[in-house]
Amino acid sequence: MSTILSNIQQVRARIARACDAAKRPVQSVTLLCVSKTFGSDAVREAHAAGERCFGENYVQEGLAKIDALADLRAALEWHLIGPLQSNKTRMVAEQFDWVHSVERLKVAQRLSEQRPPMLAPLQVCLQVNISGEASKSGLAPHEVAEVAQAVARLPRLRLRGLMAIPEPAGELEAQRRPHRALRELLEGLNAQGLALDTLSMGMSADLEAAILEGATIVRVGTAIFGSRR
Ligand SMILES: *Cc1c(COP(=O)(O)O)cnc(C)c1O
């Protein structure tokens, strides 16, 4: 059996066990395979194993892979999960299905203006700096409500929820804390009249903690494709 296939089976089993522990249906969690730095062959292999959602960090690399996998375009969903500068929004609006890393209203406005009318609205999440790390991107928690209300009104975007990359933590209880904070932030927005259904949180090291706190998309790279160089 190929490594990617057996890794995917192991990750699916981890997700299933975590859903079980959280008393959540396994279909309530989507596996986003983070293929950054790996080639289109690795994506083909994961697709052959039954996966359809792929996450890329770097716009140029993602666009090159989308192009190399054009024959599978209708079968795949492409998610941008890395930083997006406003001068790169057009290609993203034209080529990707989701952007998890929106952190400025101006970028969201450009994505909405540039999303081609024949495509479905671009699905977006706001990235939140939930651990308050000085070096990390994302909105501060207190900034989220105002930006969310504005992004939710943009015609060619559909605001789905929040994304975070918490600071790594050792044990389960410590891992759960930032994920819980992100869920509470989402619940607060929904109490203000938004209807958000997506918590993009949890990676190779902490997907169990994220699922226990309500993650609906886990973004997994290393545990599927191996370590990056
Ligand atoms: C690289 C990356 C991931 C995947 O991380 P792993 O630890 O390799 O699973 C998830 N989310 C973002 C935003 C990333 O940049």
mmCIF file of all heavy atoms in Angstrom, residues 20 34 40 47 51 56 75 85 88 91 94 105 118 131 137 143 151 158 160-161 168 173-174 180 187 197 204:
data_model
loop_
_atom_site.group_PDB
_atom_site.id
_atom_site.type_symbol
_atom_site.label_atom_id
_atom_site.label_comp_id
_atom_site.label_asym_id
_atom_site.label_seq_id
_atom_site.Cartn_x
_atom_site.Cartn_y
_atom_site.Cartn_z
ATOM 1 N N ASP A 20 -16.155 10.296 17.682
ATOM 2 C CA ASP A 20 -16.792 9.396 18.626
ATOM 3 C C ASP A 20 -16.719 9.962 20.042
ATOM 4 O O ASP A 20 -17.722 10.053 20.756
ATOM 5 C CB ASP A 20 -16.036 8.059 18.565
ATOM 6 C CG ASP A 20 -16.973 6.896 18.666
ATOM 7 O OD1 ASP A 20 -18.049 6.986 18.036
ATOM 8 O OD2 ASP A 20 -16.629 5.932 19.379
ATOM 9 N N VAL A 34 -3.505 19.200 3.238
ATOM 10 C CA VAL A 34 -2.633 20.352 2.981
ATOM 11 C C VAL A 34 -1.435 19.892 2.157
ATOM 12 O O VAL A 34 -0.504 19.266 2.662
ATOM 13 C CB VAL A 34 -2.197 21.020 4.294
ATOM 14 C CG1 VAL A 34 -1.225 22.161 4.012
ATOM 15 C CG2 VAL A 34 -3.424 21.527 5.057
ATOM 16 N N SER A 40 1.986 17.712 -7.710
ATOM 17 C CA SER A 40 0.641 17.339 -8.131
ATOM 18 C C SER A 40 0.438 15.819 -8.097
ATOM 19 O O SER A 40 -0.680 15.346 -7.922
ATOM 20 C CB SER A 40 0.340 17.904 -9.522
ATOM 21 O OG SER A 40 1.343 17.537 -10.420
ATOM 22 N N HIS A 47 -6.267 11.995 -4.070
ATOM 23 C CA HIS A 47 -7.574 11.971 -4.731
ATOM 24 C C HIS A 47 -7.987 10.536 -5.040
ATOM 25 O O HIS A 47 -9.142 10.142 -4.830
ATOM 26 C CB HIS A 47 -7.550 12.816 -5.999
ATOM 27 C CG HIS A 47 -8.786 12.658 -6.832
ATOM 28 N ND1 HIS A 47 -8.815 11.908 -7.995
ATOM 29 C CD2 HIS A 47 -10.047 13.099 -6.636
ATOM 30 C CE1 HIS A 47 -10.050 11.920 -8.478
ATOM 31 N NE2 HIS A 47 -10.813 12.642 -7.683
ATOM 32 N N GLU A 51 -9.933 11.448 -1.445
ATOM 33 C CA GLU A 51 -9.975 12.816 -0.912
ATOM 34 C C GLU A 51 -10.266 13.827 -2.019
ATOM 35 O O GLU A 51 -9.879 13.637 -3.159
ATOM 36 C CB GLU A 51 -8.643 13.164 -0.230
ATOM 37 C CG GLU A 51 -8.363 12.317 0.991
ATOM 38 C CD GLU A 51 -9.482 12.392 2.023
ATOM 39 O OE1 GLU A 51 -10.076 13.474 2.198
ATOM 40 O OE2 GLU A 51 -9.778 11.349 2.642
ATOM 41 N N GLU A 56 -3.656 24.894 0.023
ATOM 42 C CA GLU A 56 -2.366 25.418 -0.404
ATOM 43 C C GLU A 56 -2.077 26.719 0.347
ATOM 44 O O GLU A 56 -2.982 27.515 0.599
ATOM 45 C CB GLU A 56 -2.383 25.695 -1.916
ATOM 46 C CG GLU A 56 -2.369 24.422 -2.756
ATOM 47 C CD GLU A 56 -1.031 23.698 -2.721
ATOM 48 O OE1 GLU A 56 0.006 24.359 -2.509
ATOM 49 O OE2 GLU A 56 -1.023 22.455 -2.891
ATOM 50 N N ALA A 75 -13.602 17.638 -9.840
ATOM 51 C CA ALA A 75 -13.670 16.681 -8.736
ATOM 52 C C ALA A 75 -12.984 17.199 -7.475
ATOM 53 O O ALA A 75 -13.090 16.587 -6.418
ATOM 54 C CB ALA A 75 -13.015 15.368 -9.162
ATOM 55 N N GLN A 85 -1.948 38.690 -0.264
ATOM 56 C CA GLN A 85 -1.716 40.122 -0.482
ATOM 57 C C GLN A 85 -2.761 40.644 -1.459
ATOM 58 O O GLN A 85 -3.206 39.901 -2.335
ATOM 59 C CB GLN A 85 -0.331 40.333 -1.100
ATOM 60 C CG GLN A 85 0.728 40.802 -0.102
ATOM 61 C CD GLN A 85 1.103 39.716 0.879
ATOM 62 O OE1 GLN A 85 1.483 38.652 0.450
ATOM 63 N NE2 GLN A 85 0.983 39.965 2.163
ATOM 64 N N LYS A 88 -2.603 39.989 -5.246
ATOM 65 C CA LYS A 88 -2.745 38.626 -5.791
ATOM 66 C C LYS A 88 -4.184 38.124 -5.741
ATOM 67 O O LYS A 88 -4.436 36.936 -5.962
ATOM 68 C CB LYS A 88 -1.865 37.658 -4.992
ATOM 69 C CG LYS A 88 -0.380 37.968 -5.075
ATOM 70 C CD LYS A 88 0.440 36.703 -5.304
ATOM 71 C CE LYS A 88 1.913 37.001 -5.505
ATOM 72 N NZ LYS A 88 2.703 36.676 -4.311
ATOM 73 N N MET A 91 -6.289 36.273 -9.295
ATOM 74 C CA MET A 91 -6.131 34.865 -9.669
ATOM 75 C C MET A 91 -6.783 33.947 -8.631
ATOM 76 O O MET A 91 -7.319 32.891 -8.962
ATOM 77 C CB MET A 91 -4.644 34.518 -9.817
ATOM 78 C CG MET A 91 -3.986 35.173 -11.007
ATOM 79 S SD MET A 91 -4.822 34.735 -12.559
ATOM 80 C CE MET A 91 -4.038 33.164 -12.894
ATOM 81 N N GLU A 94 -10.445 33.908 -9.158
ATOM 82 C CA GLU A 94 -10.807 33.185 -10.379
ATOM 83 C C GLU A 94 -10.607 31.677 -10.269
ATOM 84 O O GLU A 94 -11.241 30.920 -11.005
ATOM 85 C CB GLU A 94 -9.988 33.731 -11.566
ATOM 86 C CG GLU A 94 -10.419 35.144 -11.942
ATOM 87 C CD GLU A 94 -9.573 35.761 -13.058
ATOM 88 O OE1 GLU A 94 -8.579 35.144 -13.499
ATOM 89 O OE2 GLU A 94 -9.910 36.885 -13.470
ATOM 90 N N LEU A 105 -10.557 43.683 5.387
ATOM 91 C CA LEU A 105 -11.763 43.955 4.612
ATOM 92 C C LEU A 105 -11.418 44.297 3.168
ATOM 93 O O LEU A 105 -12.113 43.877 2.247
ATOM 94 C CB LEU A 105 -12.551 45.102 5.279
ATOM 95 C CG LEU A 105 -13.851 45.506 4.583
ATOM 96 C CD1 LEU A 105 -14.800 44.317 4.440
ATOM 97 C CD2 LEU A 105 -14.528 46.643 5.355
ATOM 98 N N MET A 118 -19.898 33.691 -13.298
ATOM 99 C CA MET A 118 -20.390 32.338 -13.599
ATOM 100 C C MET A 118 -19.970 31.311 -12.555
ATOM 101 O O MET A 118 -20.426 30.176 -12.601
ATOM 102 C CB MET A 118 -19.969 31.891 -15.009
ATOM 103 C CG MET A 118 -18.499 31.748 -15.217
ATOM 104 S SD MET A 118 -17.732 33.387 -15.450
ATOM 105 C CE MET A 118 -16.301 32.953 -16.406
ATOM 106 N N SER A 131 -4.228 32.933 19.633
ATOM 107 C CA SER A 131 -3.294 32.838 20.758
ATOM 108 C C SER A 131 -2.615 34.173 21.047
ATOM 109 O O SER A 131 -1.774 34.257 21.946
ATOM 110 C CB SER A 131 -2.229 31.767 20.493
ATOM 111 O OG SER A 131 -2.825 30.528 20.179
ATOM 112 N N SER A 137 -0.291 36.021 11.775
ATOM 113 C CA SER A 137 -1.294 36.799 11.070
ATOM 114 C C SER A 137 -2.659 36.532 11.677
ATOM 115 O O SER A 137 -2.841 35.641 12.508
ATOM 116 C CB SER A 137 -1.334 36.454 9.585
ATOM 117 O OG SER A 137 -0.461 35.427 9.250
ATOM 118 N N GLU A 143 -11.462 42.463 16.981
ATOM 119 C CA GLU A 143 -11.702 43.099 15.675
ATOM 120 C C GLU A 143 -12.654 42.292 14.797
ATOM 121 O O GLU A 143 -13.103 42.765 13.754
ATOM 122 C CB GLU A 143 -10.376 43.224 14.890
ATOM 123 C CG GLU A 143 -9.315 44.047 15.554
ATOM 124 C CD GLU A 143 -7.980 43.965 14.807
ATOM 125 O OE1 GLU A 143 -7.566 42.852 14.400
ATOM 126 O OE2 GLU A 143 -7.347 45.010 14.633
ATOM 127 N N VAL A 151 -17.913 41.767 5.804
ATOM 128 C CA VAL A 151 -17.627 40.722 4.803
ATOM 129 C C VAL A 151 -18.908 39.958 4.459
ATOM 130 O O VAL A 151 -19.129 39.582 3.303
ATOM 131 C CB VAL A 151 -16.516 39.770 5.317
ATOM 132 C CG1 VAL A 151 -16.352 38.569 4.390
ATOM 133 C CG2 VAL A 151 -15.188 40.516 5.436
ATOM 134 N N ARG A 158 -19.174 34.220 0.261
ATOM 135 C CA ARG A 158 -20.045 33.684 1.300
ATOM 136 C C ARG A 158 -19.190 33.456 2.540
ATOM 137 O O ARG A 158 -18.297 32.598 2.538
ATOM 138 C CB ARG A 158 -20.697 32.378 0.824
ATOM 139 C CG ARG A 158 -21.543 31.779 1.894
ATOM 140 C CD ARG A 158 -22.796 31.079 1.390
ATOM 141 N NE ARG A 158 -23.394 30.379 2.516
ATOM 142 C CZ ARG A 158 -23.563 29.068 2.579
ATOM 143 N NH1 ARG A 158 -23.262 28.298 1.551
ATOM 144 N NH2 ARG A 158 -24.056 28.518 3.676
ATOM 145 N N ARG A 160 -18.238 31.914 5.712
ATOM 146 C CA ARG A 160 -18.604 30.629 6.303
ATOM 147 C C ARG A 160 -18.220 30.499 7.768
ATOM 148 O O ARG A 160 -18.843 29.742 8.506
ATOM 149 C CB ARG A 160 -17.952 29.494 5.501
ATOM 150 C CG ARG A 160 -18.456 29.389 4.060
ATOM 151 C CD ARG A 160 -19.926 28.979 3.999
ATOM 152 N NE ARG A 160 -20.125 27.669 4.575
ATOM 153 C CZ ARG A 160 -20.041 26.515 3.893
ATOM 154 N NH1 ARG A 160 -19.786 26.530 2.604
ATOM 155 N NH2 ARG A 160 -20.225 25.366 4.509
ATOM 156 N N GLY A 161 -17.113 31.197 8.183
ATOM 157 C CA GLY A 161 -16.723 31.029 9.581
ATOM 158 C C GLY A 161 -15.349 31.575 9.868
ATOM 159 O O GLY A 161 -14.910 32.543 9.244
ATOM 160 N N PRO A 168 1.421 26.016 19.228
ATOM 161 C CA PRO A 168 1.510 24.598 19.599
ATOM 162 C C PRO A 168 1.471 24.437 21.118
ATOM 163 O O PRO A 168 2.055 25.240 21.844
ATOM 164 C CB PRO A 168 2.872 24.166 19.056
ATOM 165 C CG PRO A 168 3.232 25.184 18.029
ATOM 166 C CD PRO A 168 2.579 26.463 18.444
ATOM 167 N N GLU A 173 -5.524 19.133 27.092
ATOM 168 C CA GLU A 173 -6.296 20.212 27.722
ATOM 169 C C GLU A 173 -5.779 21.586 27.275
ATOM 170 O O GLU A 173 -6.557 22.484 26.963
ATOM 171 C CB GLU A 173 -6.257 20.049 29.246
ATOM 172 C CG GLU A 173 -7.411 20.685 29.996
ATOM 173 C CD GLU A 173 -8.765 20.604 29.279
ATOM 174 O OE1 GLU A 173 -9.216 19.513 28.889
ATOM 175 O OE2 GLU A 173 -9.369 21.679 29.100
ATOM 176 N N ALA A 174 -4.449 21.714 27.207
ATOM 177 C CA ALA A 174 -3.859 22.982 26.756
ATOM 178 C C ALA A 174 -4.155 23.221 25.278
ATOM 179 O O ALA A 174 -4.365 24.358 24.852
ATOM 180 C CB ALA A 174 -2.356 22.974 27.005
ATOM 181 N N ARG A 180 -11.312 26.214 21.809
ATOM 182 C CA ARG A 180 -12.561 26.589 22.487
ATOM 183 C C ARG A 180 -12.811 28.084 22.328
ATOM 184 O O ARG A 180 -13.942 28.515 22.052
ATOM 185 C CB ARG A 180 -12.452 26.224 23.970
ATOM 186 C CG ARG A 180 -13.723 26.444 24.786
ATOM 187 C CD ARG A 180 -13.506 26.039 26.235
ATOM 188 N NE ARG A 180 -12.869 24.724 26.282
ATOM 189 C CZ ARG A 180 -11.956 24.343 27.186
ATOM 190 N NH1 ARG A 180 -11.573 25.163 28.150
ATOM 191 N NH2 ARG A 180 -11.420 23.141 27.129
ATOM 192 N N GLU A 187 -19.668 31.448 18.066
ATOM 193 C CA GLU A 187 -21.001 31.448 18.680
ATOM 194 C C GLU A 187 -21.469 32.875 18.952
ATOM 195 O O GLU A 187 -22.646 33.198 18.755
ATOM 196 C CB GLU A 187 -20.975 30.624 19.980
ATOM 197 C CG GLU A 187 -20.863 29.123 19.716
ATOM 198 C CD GLU A 187 -20.529 28.287 20.966
ATOM 199 O OE1 GLU A 187 -20.277 28.871 22.039
ATOM 200 O OE2 GLU A 187 -20.502 27.048 20.836
ATOM 201 N N ASP A 197 -21.110 28.488 9.815
ATOM 202 C CA ASP A 197 -21.136 27.052 10.102
ATOM 203 C C ASP A 197 -19.761 26.396 10.078
ATOM 204 O O ASP A 197 -19.661 25.180 10.129
ATOM 205 C CB ASP A 197 -22.069 26.342 9.107
ATOM 206 C CG ASP A 197 -21.599 26.482 7.659
ATOM 207 O OD1 ASP A 197 -20.485 27.014 7.418
ATOM 208 O OD2 ASP A 197 -22.344 26.065 6.757
ATOM 209 N N SER A 204 -2.069 18.432 11.990
ATOM 210 C CA SER A 204 -1.588 17.074 12.283
ATOM 211 C C SER A 204 -1.452 16.815 13.782
ATOM 212 O O SER A 204 -1.798 15.735 14.265
ATOM 213 C CB SER A 204 -0.232 16.838 11.607
ATOM 214 O OG SER A 204 -0.379 16.834 10.208
#
